[in-house]
Amino acid sequence: MILRTFGFAGLDSLIMVSVLKAAVGGLMDVCRANNHLRGFLHNHLKLFAAGMKTYEIPPDYSNVVLPAKPKLKFLNKVPNLKKAKKEMKKLRDIQGPAKAANAFTVGQYAIVAMGGGYLHWGHFEMMRLTINRKMDARTTFARWRVNAPYKPVTRKGLGQRMGGGKGAIDHYVTPVRYGRLIVELGGKVELGEVESVLTEVAKKLPFPAKVMSREDLEALKKVHADMEQNNQNPWTFKQIVQGNMLGIRKVLSPFDLHNHGRFTGKFHLPGRV
């Protein structure tokens, strides 16, 4: 009998709450029609709804397929060549925007280079060991978006005199340009679960890098496109160069003409339109 009494009491309280909600909703419509939104009733409605909590719908991972080997694979320190050849520096390899691996393929999050630079084999090992140890292979996968070291760097021994030709090959590096994805992660995870690991890796790279998701990368490209489309300054770098104002073409390189002054060497100028 006591249980029944409590059950009826709980039912009565639920009915009273629903009636109160309906009454408040009707009065709110009346207040909204008369433009009285900040009155006594609105403040009490805030107090009434203060205890309610709303949760975001969890993402759907039904279409995510994990590969057989989800972890980053080991990359060779020296490329497999029949005969090693020396090369010049070719600093243009790290200048300007990336033309390859500048968009996502199968992952959802990545480390994006915000400047140019060279990756040594030690950087690859640091990224591989850090990510493989701290990621959950049951729900996450990672893949490289850069090649193994392939560009030779020469160096002479300590204390040698100048001359005598080009030095011997010391090690190999991988050139990286602005906007290139370094490592791509995906799986049944959210950004908050892997952001700390990716940020730790991005801080140790020899060039500025940032952790981004698919949405962040699309938003960044949209911001640059909007800046170019809605620019109100008629004197852009491109128009000044095309008009050869003050003979500026004499001091500009073909690299500046091609990229319209958005880069100074390996550094990107985000405010330049």
Side-chain angles (χ1 to χ4, degrees):
M1 187 66 185
I2 296 176
L3 293 175
R4 290 182 181 177
T5 305
F6 274 104
F8 282 117
L11 183 61
D12 293 340
S13 61
L14 288 176
I15 294 174
M16 288 297 294
V17 169
S18 60
V19 171
L20 182 59
K21 283 185 180 179
V24 169
L27 291 175
M28 278 298 297
D29 294 337
V30 175
C31 293
R32 191 179 294 109
N34 296 327
N35 295 326
H36 299 301
L37 286 178
R38 297 296 175 186
F40 179 78
L41 181 62
H42 186 74
N43 296 335
H44 276 271
L45 183 63
K46 277 188 173 181
L47 293 174
F48 180 75
M52 296 183 180
K53 294 183 180 180
T54 56
Y55 298 94
E56 296 183 359
I57 300 176
D60 184 18
Y61 298 120
S62 58
N63 297 329
V64 176
V65 179
L66 297 177
K69 297 182 179 180
K71 294 189 175 183
L72 293 174
K73 65 177 183 179
F74 177 82
L75 298 180
N76 294 327
K77 189 175 183 178
V78 178
N80 188 13
L81 301 174
K82 293 183 179 179
K83 183 179 180 182
K85 294 184 179 180
K86 303 175 185 178
E87 295 182 6
M88 300 180 68
K89 283 188 178 180
K90 290 195 298 183
L91 294 178
R92 61 179 178 270
D93 289 344
I94 60 174
Q95 296 175 350
K99 300 179 181 178
N102 53 5
F104 283 87
T105 53
V106 294
Q108 298 139 338
Y109 320 108
I111 300 176
V112 184
M114 306 305 290
Y118 293 109
L119 287 175
H120 297 253
W121 182 76
H123 296 128
F124 286 97
E125 280 297 281
M126 177 270 298
M127 289 188 281
R128 184 182 69 87
L129 295 175
T130 305
I131 294 177
N132 287 352
R133 287 172 181 171
K134 297 188 178 182
M135 70 176 254
D136 188 1
R138 297 171 295 179
T139 58
T140 316
F141 67 89
R143 56 171 301 191
W144 295 110
R145 295 304 307 275
V146 288
N147 300 324
Y150 63 89
K151 183 176 181 179
V153 176
T154 59
R155 185 172 295 171
K156 287 192 174 183
L158 187 64
Q160 289 191 10
R161 294 180 179 270
M162 295 181 64
K166 195 172 179 66
I169 295 177
D170 183 68
H171 59 277
Y172 291 84
V173 296
T174 300
V176 174
R177 290 181 175 180
Y178 167 83
R180 185 176 182 114
L181 277 64
I182 310 298
V183 178
E184 192 172 345
L185 267 75
K188 303 177 181 179
V189 291
E190 298 185 12
L191 180 60
E193 302 178 48
V194 296
E195 187 175 10
S196 60
V197 181
L198 296 179
T199 304
E200 179 185 350
V201 172
K203 289 181 179 179
K204 298 179 182 178
L205 295 179
F207 44 78
K210 192 175 181 181
V211 179
M212 288 190 181
S213 61
R214 283 179 179 264
E215 295 76 15
D216 296 338
L217 190 59
E218 292 176 1
L220 181 63
K221 293 180 180 179
K222 186 177 179 181
V223 166
H224 289 309
D226 292 343
M227 287 175 59
E228 212 172 311
Q229 185 177 2
N230 303 325
N231 181 34
Q232 298 181 359
N233 184 10
W235 305 112
T236 60
F237 185 91
K238 183 178 180 180
Q239 292 177 348
I240 291 174
V241 171
Q242 287 179 349
N244 195 22
M245 296 183 179
L246 300 176
I248 196 172
R249 295 286 288 269
K250 295 180 181 179
V251 295
L252 293 180
S253 65
F255 174 79
D256 296 325
L257 299 178
H258 180 71
N259 294 306
H260 305 303
R262 294 190 181 95
F263 294 87
T264 18
K266 62 181 181 180
F267 302 103
H268 176 245
L269 303 176
R272 183 67 61 84
V273 179

